[in-house]
Amino acid sequence: MKPICVVLTGAGISAESGLPTFRAEDGLWAGHKIEEVCTPEALRRNPQKVLDFYNMRRRNAAAAKPNAAHLALVELEQAYDVKVITQNVDDLHERAGSQFVLHLHGELNKARSSFDPDYIVPCYQDLLITDRDPQGHPMRPHIVFFGENVPMLDQAIDLVSIADVVLVIGTSLQVYPANGLIHQTKANAKIYLIDPNPNTGFIQRHVTVIAKKATEGVVEVVKQLLK
């Protein structure tokens, strides 16, 4: 049996493929205020603006390509049972070839009913305000907005709790509830933090820090783990 490696990824790994990070220094996300495009209230108040924003993000993600960090994680599957848990909503991990990807915050390439959260369909084109589920309810991006529950959190906790190795890549893990995942690791799990500006304050035990961007640091760590 292969040892289990759980990988927690955030905006930093996608940024190196040209996708804007979650929150820039000016407090905006891709030029928008969070409360205008990523809350249930925003969807009710101005659904067209929310759809336009995610349609733009979907187009940008489709044009991006997996980078060396995404590809190195696929290479790691030679020796490890790799489980990717990502806060990102793009599909770069899947396109790189990762066999298991759990999206904590939803997926750009899916839409769901605004009434029935279990009605989820593929969405590779622009989502229109006229799109409806079979009962006639409006469709919405399959994204976990601020203030909404994170349906995949329990599964993520279960995975982290059995990991032999944990890689934290391109995320400060400051966003609730994802920031609690690192505390679910086994006492003897090896933890690697790969980030050019590492924040170790959220980890209360030993962690190996690689203060490099993902395309450099992940490749370096994967080479070490495959030795």
Side-chain angles (χ1 to χ4, degrees), residues 62-218:
K65 294 181 179 180
N67 60 51
H70 296 104
L71 297 173
L73 294 175
V74 177
E75 186 180 357
L76 190 60
E77 293 183 9
Q78 297 173 17
Y80 288 82
D81 182 4
V82 179
K83 309 291 187 184
V84 177
I85 301 172
T86 185
Q87 298 176 78
N88 301 330
V89 294
D90 58 66
D91 65 345
L92 293 175
H93 283 296
E94 288 91 340
R95 282 196 275 144
S98 287
Q99 295 298 303
F100 182 98
V101 184
L102 186 151
H103 288 267
L104 275 180
H105 296 158
E107 300 177 60
L108 284 172
N109 290 335
K110 293 181 180 178
R112 76 170 186 260
S113 167
S114 59
F115 179 77
D116 178 6
D118 294 324
Y119 183 76
I120 303 168
V121 298
C123 180
Y124 293 96
Q125 306 297 326
D126 283 359
L127 184 59
L128 305 178
I129 202 163
T130 53
D131 289 335
R132 295 288 188 268
D133 70 10
Q135 281 71 46
H137 301 289
M139 296 294 288
R140 55 163 281 182
H142 183 48
I143 301 293
V144 178
F145 291 152
F146 281 91
E148 294 183 325
N149 292 328
V150 180
M152 307 306 291
L153 182 61
D154 287 344
Q155 186 179 348
I157 290 173
D158 290 343
L159 290 172
V160 172
S161 68
I162 62 172
D164 301 297
V165 177
V166 178
L167 308 184
V168 182
I169 306 167
T171 173
S172 63
L173 283 184
Q174 291 180 318
V175 177
Y176 178 85
N179 56 356
L181 286 175
I182 201 68
H183 304 304
Q184 306 297 325
T185 55
K186 296 188 298 186
N188 62 342
K190 294 182 179 179
I191 302 174
Y192 295 83
L193 172 61
I194 304 162
D195 196 285
N197 301 295
N199 167 31
T200 57
F202 62 88
I203 303 178
Q204 304 303 315
R205 35 177 294 225
H206 176 72
V207 56
T208 301
V209 176
I210 294 89
K212 297 181 179 180
K213 60 184 182 179
T215 49
E216 296 177 7
V218 176

